[in-house]
Amino acid sequence: MKSDALKRGPQNAPHRALYHALGLTEEEIDRPLIGIVSSYNEIVPGHMNIDKIVEAVRMGVAMAGGTPIVFPAIAVCDGIAMGHTGMKYSLITRDLIADSTEAMVMAHGFDGLVMVPNCDKNVPGLLMAAARLNVPTVFVSGGPMLAGHVDGAKTSFSSISEAVGQYNAGKITEEKLHEYECKTCPTCGSCSGMYTANSMNCLTEALGMGLRGNGTIPAVYSARLKLAKHAGMAVMELVRKNIRPRDIMTEEALMNALTVDMALGCSTNSMLHLPAIAHECGIEINLDIANEISAHTPNLCHLAPAGRTYIEELDEAGGVYAVMNELNKKGLIHTDCMTVTTHTVGENIAGCVNTNHDVIRPIENPYSETGGIAVLKGNLAPEGSVVKRSAVLPEMLVHEGPARVFDCEEDAQAAINAGKIHPGDVVVIRYEGPKGGPGMREMLNPTSAIMGMGLGNSVALITDGRFSGATRGACVGHITPEAASGGLIGVVEEGDIISINIPENRIELKVSDQVIRERMSHFVPKTKELTGYLKRYAAMVSGGAYGAILK
């Protein structure tokens, strides 16, 4: 065991003295030491129940013969951070989480780990740490929120965001807005649609790093506590068999995750996180691979915000394993990959039935023959950009219109709220990329305002920033190179024609090459006065098309 180097022999008596100071018995010290990384806090709704999950994991570890030891990870609530400077501190926590977990594990010599994340950056941050550390590891999340209900219809966080746009457009009263406010998020858990948190939790199952149901069992269900106990037991089996994250997160497993991503219609943020996780595994994923997988992967689910079904219904329909089993009917899944169950993917998904064809379309009758995410390239994004194709209205899959240019989210939001955006426009929000933001803020408020004001079928939005998983519409993000790095988006002028063609994976600024050369010859990107972690992050971060990895 790894911890033997810290606790065996006379020379380690000082270490054992400190274990005794923790109240550990000789028997506990003698067992494998299992670190439980708890993302619990009292500000993130998806994390407020994690203390209960952690206690269940502790019990599972102890029942299986290990000694559980808990230490923390930070978490930011993207919803609370949205629309102000706080969103600059969301994506950047992914690397803080990975780095701080590495420090704790390396300093204390754990034999195995159970990661207990839930929301947007904790799951990828801890997957990055797991790959980097390569210690036997299991993931168990806090679980998704139940959907809310307004006027007999289910709602989720995107509903309240769009309700603000409806209120600003005079379509609903202040009383109705307050009703949405009170009823949209009715329980603890990660927000109830296929947003980033639930996307990444579902992908832990596809990667083989989480047990069945990790992405879909609701936070408030007792089954979530049972899952946590089983996760605690499972890590002990991994320790005994020395099965490690890089044995599981192979190139084939990452291809499985991308395939499931396309079938589920996951958040565009998965196109930031999967390359970053792969990088920690020593595997490079480029966005061209995403289009190749999308081209032959059918989209089987239209979960909110793309449709009217929610994670709780995906769970009832058979969950991620049922989706994988549908995909496997056409040989789209690598079934030989090892998982934290100590069985292969093929063994895990065998017999997992799709019980609701309205929630998970049979592979013979998909929503579309191509996946839920598309990568667009062209002179505006020669290195790539990302759109959630499954959440775009059919009439907006091809769009051309005049640019309405803003150098920050706040200016764009003010123009939308003031009714200055008109049908046909293409809203351009720049200097919001990983380096230029810095921190690559999510643009949920502008996109929700556009949808809420009834412009979703006629207005597109492009940005070198990114979008919340709750965003829907013709919204193209991750434009690389970003404005702060000298990208063409930095010289787009008001009224320039921008062409978006999602079926052809193209995005173009329709200005002559001569004009572009002239503008670029005089272009000096804007800079910001930065301090602290934001300054260090901006200096080290790569472009959005490369996963916003720190160099």
Side-chain angles (χ1 to χ4, degrees):
M1 291 188 297
K2 186 177 180 181
S3 63
D4 285 350
L6 283 73
K7 64 189 186 184
R8 303 293 181 198
Q11 73 278 8
N12 284 320
H15 294 150
R16 292 195 297 274
L18 294 171
Y19 291 143
H20 286 298
L22 292 171
L24 296 181
T25 66
E26 299 279 0
E27 292 83 358
E28 288 174 305
I29 295 169
D30 193 51
R31 294 171 181 169
L33 302 182
I34 306 300
I36 302 174
V37 186
S38 170
S39 302
Y40 168 77
N41 64 42
E42 295 183 343
I43 189 61
V44 184
H47 290 230
M48 62 182 288
N49 67 317
I50 280 179
D51 56 339
K52 309 296 189 302
I53 304 296
V54 166
E55 284 306 308
V57 172
R58 286 172 61 98
M59 185 172 293
V61 169
M63 285 191 293
T67 297
I69 299 173
V70 179
F71 63 89
I74 63 168
V76 164
C77 177
D78 276 27
I80 294 174
M82 194 72 66
H84 58 96
T85 193
M87 182 47 70
K88 296 178 186 289
Y89 289 88
S90 170
L91 178 60
I92 69 176
T93 64
R94 184 187 72 181
D95 298 275
L96 281 175
I97 291 161
D99 292 348
S100 60
T101 302
E102 175 192 359
M104 287 294 290
V105 174
M106 294 304 294
H108 300 107
F110 292 106
D111 298 301
L113 298 168
V114 180
M115 307 294 198
V116 191
N118 207 26
C119 289
D120 295 32
K121 307 311 167 302
N122 290 76
V123 184
L126 290 176
L127 281 165
M128 289 164 67
R132 191 184 301 174
L133 291 161
N134 208 29
V135 172
T137 302
V138 176
F139 275 69
V140 57
S141 75
M145 185 183 290
L146 293 179
H149 293 82
V150 174
D151 297 332
K154 287 188 174 182
T155 62
S156 58
F157 188 71
S158 54
S159 306
I160 180 61
S161 298
E162 292 181 16
V164 173
Q166 292 174 314
Y167 172 74
N168 288 335
K171 295 184 176 183
I172 61 172
T173 64
E174 187 173 356
E175 289 74 22
K176 178 57 70 174
L177 178 63
H178 186 254
E179 183 181 358
Y180 272 100
E181 174 186 331
C182 294
K183 294 181 178 179
T184 292
C185 299
T187 73
C188 63
S190 48
C191 295
S192 56
M194 188 52 80
Y195 310 146
T196 305
N198 291 327
S199 295
M200 295 308 302
N201 281 320
C202 285
L203 293 184
T204 62
E205 293 188 56
L207 280 168
M209 292 298 293
L211 300 177
R212 182 181 183 183
N214 185 53
T216 58
I217 297 172
V220 296
Y221 284 11
S222 299
R224 175 63 55 178
L225 296 176
K226 295 179 182 179
L227 181 73
K229 292 174 186 175
H230 283 127
M233 297 179 206
V235 76
M236 294 306 300
E237 190 65 14
L238 294 178
V239 169
R240 281 188 279 271
K241 293 184 176 180
N242 196 30
I243 298 174
R244 304 181 181 212
R246 277 183 241 158
D247 300 326
I248 294 169
M249 290 192 285
T250 61
E251 184 171 356
E252 290 76 16
L254 286 157
M255 294 305 104
N256 281 346
L258 279 167
T259 299
V260 173
D261 186 314
M262 297 300 172
L264 286 173
C266 288
S267 164
T268 52
N269 282 315
S270 62
M271 292 295 103
L272 277 177
H273 300 321
L274 286 173
I277 295 160
H279 179 74
E280 296 290 351
C281 295
I283 301 164
E284 298 305 317
I285 290 179
N286 62 56
L287 294 187
D288 294 329
I289 294 174
N291 271 352
E292 290 170 18
I293 290 176
S294 179
H296 61 254
T297 303
N299 178 224
L300 304 181
C301 299
H302 266 193
L303 297 147
R308 298 182 180 276
T309 52
Y310 296 82
I311 301 296
E312 63 200 64
E313 290 159 300
L314 177 60
D315 186 63
E316 292 166 3
V320 175
Y321 277 19
V323 173
M324 294 176 76
N325 209 21
E326 286 288 343
L327 293 169
N328 197 41
K329 291 177 182 177
K330 289 193 175 180
L332 298 177
I333 295 292
H334 296 280
T335 55
D336 291 336
C337 296
M338 180 51 61
T339 73
V340 293
T341 66
T342 75
H343 300 294
T344 66
V345 166
E347 291 170 324
N348 288 343
I349 67 175
C352 294
V353 178
N354 171 10
T355 63
N356 188 332
H357 291 182
D358 292 328
V359 177
I360 305 171
R361 287 276 186 94
I363 199 162
E364 300 82 9
N365 181 35
Y367 283 101
S368 68
E369 293 293 341
T370 54
I373 288 177
V375 173
L376 312 187
K377 288 190 174 183
N379 64 0
L380 257 179
E383 295 170 26
S385 62
V386 181
V387 62
K388 189 170 183 175
R389 174 168 44 197
S390 60
V392 178
L393 293 170
E395 59 266 37
M396 291 299 292
L397 290 170
V398 177
H399 181 77
E400 190 172 291
R404 306 298 310 280
V405 183
F406 305 94
D407 285 347
C408 66
E409 177 190 2
E410 288 84 355
D411 290 352
Q413 186 70 47
I416 296 166
N417 291 346
K420 295 180 179 179
I421 303 302
H422 308 295
D425 286 348
V426 178
V427 176
V428 178
I429 306 178
R430 61 193 180 193
Y431 292 104
E432 291 288 6
K435 184 182 294 293
M440 204 178 186
R441 289 197 288 181
E442 291 182 341
M443 303 290 138
L444 176 60
N445 287 352
T447 59
S448 296
I450 288 169
M451 296 302 294
M453 297 176 80
L455 296 171
N457 63 350
S458 60
V459 170
L461 188 151
I462 71 171
T463 180
D464 53 11
R466 62 194 177 95
F467 298 112
S468 165
T471 287
R472 63 190 179 103
C475 303
V476 183
H478 307 199
I479 286 180
T480 309
E482 60 179 289
S485 295
L488 185 62
I489 190 174
V491 299
V492 175
E493 294 183 0
E494 190 81 5
D496 284 350
I497 300 301
I498 291 174
S499 172
I500 300 167
N501 190 319
I502 296 173
E504 294 184 5
N505 300 317
R506 299 290 296 172
I507 181 167
E508 296 281 344
L509 174 64
K510 301 194 79 173
V511 173
S512 72
D513 291 344
Q514 181 179 347
V515 170
I516 288 174
R517 283 193 297 270
E518 175 68 18
R519 290 184 189 176
M520 292 298 286
S521 69
H522 298 100
F523 178 38
V524 178
K526 294 182 178 181
T527 59
K528 299 175 182 176
E529 290 294 324
L530 301 172
T531 60
Y533 185 46
L534 287 180
K535 184 175 183 178
R536 283 179 279 140
Y537 185 86
M540 294 187 291
V541 71
S542 69
Y546 305 101
I549 296 163
L550 297 188
K551 298 292 187 179

